[in-house]
Amino acid sequence: MWTRRELKQQAKEALQRNYWKSVLVALVLMVLGGNWIGNVFSSASGVPAKVSSAVVEETSMADEDMSGNIGGSENLATIILMEDDTPETIYNKNTDDMNGTEEFIGFIVGFIIMLVIFLIVFLIMIAIMLIYEILLVFPLIVGAGRFMLKSLDGRAEVKDVAYGFDHSYRNVVKTMFHTQLSIFLWALLFLIPGIYKQYQYRMVEYILAEHPDMPYKEAMKMSRDMMNGQKWNAFVLDLSFILWEMLGVLTCGLVHIFYVAPYHCLTNAALYRRLCSIRDGQCA
């Protein structure tokens, strides 16, 4: 069995041996391979101004007798009232209503076009981000895992970060893709199944760091076997870093970059090494 104190002690010793290299690797992993989301919000809206015109023709027909007994101010009021029912006025009202309807339809069509354009741009950006993560980030994570393992064993080199690109690149990408896809699909069911799978496949990157040629099904099964009965302990191990993470936030990320990130990564690598020894050295 293992204890958190044991793993953290190994990580601290490895960090002392390769401090600046570990900080550099952790920084590269954070910048290029961390969890990042690019959000682009573009909005454009135009509300056409509706202009309604009413044409009222004023006439001065004070002396004209329309019905024989109307005159003066009564004559003018009657003419205005009568103009509301004239064919010209009715035509103007109908024209205004048609113009308003056309403007509303035009606004709806414009809004739909803008929405479609936004969705297309959004999907293209998501596709670019996925391609970037699959082709660049996945091998980088495996290389960082190899660096951390070699730091535990002795002195590592920064060039070890490129290990996933130089050794069975296609298999590394394929295995990491299937692993993350499985975690994502389980996460769609609910948050807890996704977290469960995350811990179940926690060792895949370290397995690939030592066995880049291993088929993805075998690597995933090996991680499941290694984490069998260890998931809760690993979860508690992560919780033990929560105060360090809070300190990193309070220092605007400085403590996280120069201590917490490499310390945490090395602790995870030490967990892998310990689980390998528990599983009769099958990882060696």
Side-chain angles (χ1 to χ4, degrees), residues 71-98:
S73 59
E74 294 180 352
N75 183 27
L76 180 60
T78 302
I79 293 174
I80 294 176
L81 291 174
M82 291 178 62
E83 284 185 347
D84 291 339
D85 296 330
T86 59
E88 182 180 358
T89 304
I90 296 174
Y91 173 79
N92 290 336
K93 289 182 178 179
N94 292 336
T95 302
D96 291 341
D97 293 339
M98 292 178 61

Side-chain angles (χ1 to χ4, degrees), residues 213-237:
D213 297 325
M214 183 177 292
Y216 77 92
K217 291 184 179 180
E218 185 177 347
M220 294 173 70
K221 181 180 182 302
M222 186 174 178
S223 180
R224 290 196 301 267
D225 294 340
M226 294 177 67
M227 293 301 295
N228 186 26
Q230 304 290 341
K231 289 182 281 293
W232 175 254
N233 294 329
F235 177 72
V236 175
L237 176 64

Side-chain angles (χ1 to χ4, degrees), residues 146-218:
R146 183 174 179 84
F147 173 88
M148 298 302 170
L149 290 175
K150 294 188 68 174
S151 295
L152 293 174
D153 299 335
R155 300 190 66 84
E157 298 295 335
V158 177
K159 65 180 181 181
D160 292 327
V161 178
Y163 182 84
F165 296 95
D166 299 333
H167 298 78
S168 301
Y169 173 77
R170 294 180 60 181
N171 186 67
V172 167
V173 170
K174 180 180 179 180
T175 303
M176 291 293 293
F177 173 76
H178 280 88
T179 301
Q180 295 302 318
L181 180 62
S182 177
I183 295 173
F184 173 75
L185 293 178
W186 278 93
L188 291 178
L189 299 177
F190 197 64
L191 179 62
I192 294 178
I195 296 176
Y196 179 84
K197 285 295 178 179
Q198 182 75 45
Y199 279 94
Q200 195 173 45
Y201 294 129
R202 183 172 184 147
M203 297 299 147
V204 170
E205 61 193 71
Y206 298 104
I207 294 172
L208 291 175
E210 293 190 324
H211 307 283
D213 297 325
M214 183 177 292
Y216 77 92
K217 291 184 179 180
E218 185 177 347

Side-chain angles (χ1 to χ4, degrees), residues 18-264:
N18 303 280
Y19 176 75
W20 287 110
K21 293 178 182 179
S22 299
V23 170
L24 179 60
V25 171
L27 181 60
V28 170
L29 192 63
M30 288 172 57
V31 173
L32 298 180
N35 295 326
W36 57 278
I37 302 175
N39 294 321
V40 176
F41 295 95
S42 60
S43 62
S45 62
V47 180
K50 180 180 179 181
V51 180
S52 60
S53 61
V55 179
V56 179
E57 298 180 358
E58 296 184 356
T59 60
S60 56
M61 304 177 60
D63 297 332
E64 183 177 354
D65 189 2
M66 298 293 295
S67 61
N69 57 0
I70 300 176
S73 59
E74 294 180 352
N75 183 27
L76 180 60
T78 302
I79 293 174
I80 294 176
L81 291 174
M82 291 178 62
E83 284 185 347
D84 291 339
D85 296 330
T86 59
E88 182 180 358
T89 304
I90 296 174
Y91 173 79
N92 290 336
K93 289 182 178 179
N94 292 336
T95 302
D96 291 341
D97 293 339
M98 292 178 61
N99 290 336
T101 303
E102 291 177 356
E103 291 173 354
F104 177 75
I105 294 175
F107 172 77
I108 296 299
V109 172
F111 175 78
I112 294 175
I113 293 175
M114 292 300 300
L115 181 61
V116 171
I117 294 175
F118 172 79
L119 290 176
I120 292 175
V121 173
F122 179 76
L123 292 176
I124 290 175
M125 294 190 63
I126 292 295
I128 293 175
M129 290 167 57
L130 288 176
I131 293 174
Y132 169 82
E133 185 169 0
I134 292 171
L135 299 182
L136 178 63
V137 176
F138 287 170
L140 186 64
I141 292 175
V142 173
R146 183 174 179 84
F147 173 88
M148 298 302 170
L149 290 175
K150 294 188 68 174
S151 295
L152 293 174
D153 299 335
R155 300 190 66 84
E157 298 295 335
V158 177
K159 65 180 181 181
D160 292 327
V161 178
Y163 182 84
F165 296 95
D166 299 333
H167 298 78
S168 301
Y169 173 77
R170 294 180 60 181
N171 186 67
V172 167
V173 170
K174 180 180 179 180
T175 303
M176 291 293 293
F177 173 76
H178 280 88
T179 301
Q180 295 302 318
L181 180 62
S182 177
I183 295 173
F184 173 75
L185 293 178
W186 278 93
L188 291 178
L189 299 177
F190 197 64
L191 179 62
I192 294 178
I195 296 176
Y196 179 84
K197 285 295 178 179
Q198 182 75 45
Y199 279 94
Q200 195 173 45
Y201 294 129
R202 183 172 184 147
M203 297 299 147
V204 170
E205 61 193 71
Y206 298 104
I207 294 172
L208 291 175
E210 293 190 324
H211 307 283
D213 297 325
M214 183 177 292
Y216 77 92
K217 291 184 179 180
E218 185 177 347
M220 294 173 70
K221 181 180 182 302
M222 186 174 178
S223 180
R224 290 196 301 267
D225 294 340
M226 294 177 67
M227 293 301 295
N228 186 26
Q230 304 290 341
K231 289 182 281 293
W232 175 254
N233 294 329
F235 177 72
V236 175
L237 176 64
D238 288 339
L239 286 180
S240 66
F241 285 91
I242 190 169
L243 294 179
W244 281 112
E245 297 291 348
M246 293 175 61
L247 182 60
V249 173
L250 293 176
T251 58
C252 300
L254 292 178
V255 172
H256 185 80
I257 293 173
F258 290 101
Y259 188 75
V260 181
Y263 179 30
H264 199 171

